[in-house]
Structures are given as structure tokens and as C-alpha cells.
Amino acid sequence: MENGQFRRAVYPGSFNPLHNGHLDIMKRAARVFDEIIIAVYEHPNKPQLFDVEERIGLIRESIIREGLTNIKVASFSGLAVNYVKSVGSFVMLRGLRVFSDFEFEFRMALANHRLAPEIEVISFISSEETIHISSSTVREIASLGGDVSSMVPEHVRLALEQRYAELQAEQ
Ligand code: ADP
């Protein structure tokens, strides 16, 4: 808390599913801000491996396991800047992996600034240990029966195993 002002930041993303790269950013951000809201994007008409409630459940479990008491989780649809404003925040958090993210995040930050100049985008540089992780990589490896235990928390690994077994049984 600074100048008596409560600092709430919003970390928006797909989190499909949550992985250790996301968790690293969450834990570090939780030390910098009074409260973090993890905002899980609800894709309109686009089926996801885990639906929004499942993604929220997986994040909540990690938050509890890690004892992160100042992190909340919610879903949102529409523009992220509008969601940030709606919860009384002016900070949008993002994570930056090496070069691959930079152009995309830079473009997004400029577009968001045009939409809502009062919102600040704050990016955390990925840690070395998690820089290679993305949800799509995790999904691809898990779908092929590969070991993702070094990339995601154990309950997420189990959820992936179960989901791909279900999908295979349906075929
Ligand atoms: P992903 O790219 O893994 O599918 P999301 O779309 O859920 O992830 O991304 C939400 C935010 O988390 C984005 O700002 C993204 O750059 C960031 N992020 C994703 N993976 C990592 C990572 N390994 N390290 C740091 N930030 C990350």
C-alpha cells in the first residue's frame, strides 16, 4: 500500500491450462501489488480444451496450494481494458517470454493504450526456468502422451491426462 491507496492489478489471459510460467508471474506480482485478479478470458463460440469454469478451478487450486491469499480469480469476456476498469483497477499485467512475445505484447499494449490511456500495462519478464513454457506447448506434449510434470502443477497434469483420455475414448 502506497499513499494509503489500494493497488489492485488484473492479469488477463486464456490460462488453457495454467502452467508454471503463469504461476511464476502470479507469485511475483502478488509481492508487488495488494491484490491480483486473474481474469480468465471466455472465448465466444470457440471451444477450449478446458471450459472457463474448469480453468478457474485449476487456478484456484494452485492459489490455495501456494498460500497466495491476495489473488482472486474471475472470468471475463469482451475487452480486457473494460474488465480492468470495471473492477476499479488501472493496471493490466502481462508476462514476457523472450522474443516471441515481444512484438505481440507491444502491439497489444499500444492498442490498449489507444482504447484506454488511463490503464497501464505492466509486463513481468519471464524467469529463466519457465521461459520455454506456453499453454499450447503443454497441450501438444500432453496430447501425445508426453511428460509435462516439469511445466505444470501436478493437479493440472492430472487434469490434462484425464481430458485427453476422455477425448480418446470418444473417438
Ligand atoms: P499462453 O501464451 O501460455 O497460452 P496466455 O494466453 O494464458 O498464455 O497468457 C497470459 C499471459 O501470460 C500473457 O501475457 C503471456 O505472455 C504470459 N505468459 C504465458 N506463458 C508465460 C511464461 N512462460 N512466462 C511468462 N509469461 C508467460
Side-chain angles (χ1 to χ4, degrees):
M1 214 168 303
E2 208 174 273
N3 308 328
Q5 217 181 339
F6 188 81
R7 303 264 175 207
R8 175 182 289 134
V10 176
Y11 181 25
S14 299
F15 305 100
N16 187 33
L18 171 80
H19 57 64
N20 293 344
H22 297 133
L23 255 182
D24 172 59
I25 303 292
M26 288 177 195
K27 284 194 232 173
R28 289 162 55 200
R31 295 176 56 235
V32 178
F33 296 94
D34 296 311
E35 185 179 272
I36 309 289
I37 300 178
I38 312 295
V40 181
Y41 182 58
E42 208 167 349
H43 295 257
N45 314 319
K46 195 172 156 208
Q48 301 284 306
L49 183 65
F50 294 106
D51 67 29
V52 78
E53 287 309 321
E54 291 171 318
R55 282 180 272 151
I56 287 176
L58 293 172
I59 298 169
R60 282 219 173 101
E61 194 160 339
S62 273
I63 289 170
I64 293 167
R65 280 168 193 243
E66 300 276 349
L68 298 163
T69 51
N70 61 339
I71 301 188
K72 293 180 178 170
V73 199
S75 66
F76 80 103
S77 53
L79 289 172
V81 284
N82 288 348
Y83 180 74
V84 175
K85 283 192 262 186
S86 76
V87 295
S89 170
F90 63 92
V91 178
M92 189 192 296
L93 299 178
R94 300 293 289 168
L96 264 189
R97 286 161 293 198
V98 246
F99 313 105
S100 54
D101 277 338
F102 190 77
E103 201 185 316
F104 175 76
E105 293 292 340
F106 195 66
R107 222 174 332 117
M108 286 273 289
L110 291 178
N112 282 329
H113 188 72
R114 272 285 162 90
L115 292 170
E118 69 276 31
I119 302 233
E120 293 296 341
V121 176
I122 297 186
S123 298
F124 280 69
I125 305 282
S126 179
S127 297
E128 257 183 277
E129 307 76 47
T130 55
I131 208 153
H132 59 291
I133 310 174
S134 70
S135 293
S136 59
T137 309
V138 166
R139 290 197 303 272
E140 193 170 347
I141 296 173
S143 73
L144 299 168
D147 180 11
V148 291
S149 57
S150 64
M151 300 181 184
V152 295
E154 180 59 12
H155 65 282
V156 175
R157 188 191 69 75
L158 288 171
L160 282 161
E161 200 175 86
Q162 196 179 337
R163 179 53 38 91
Y164 282 114
E166 285 164 8
L167 291 174
Q168 220 156 29
E170 280 169 19
Q171 281 172 4

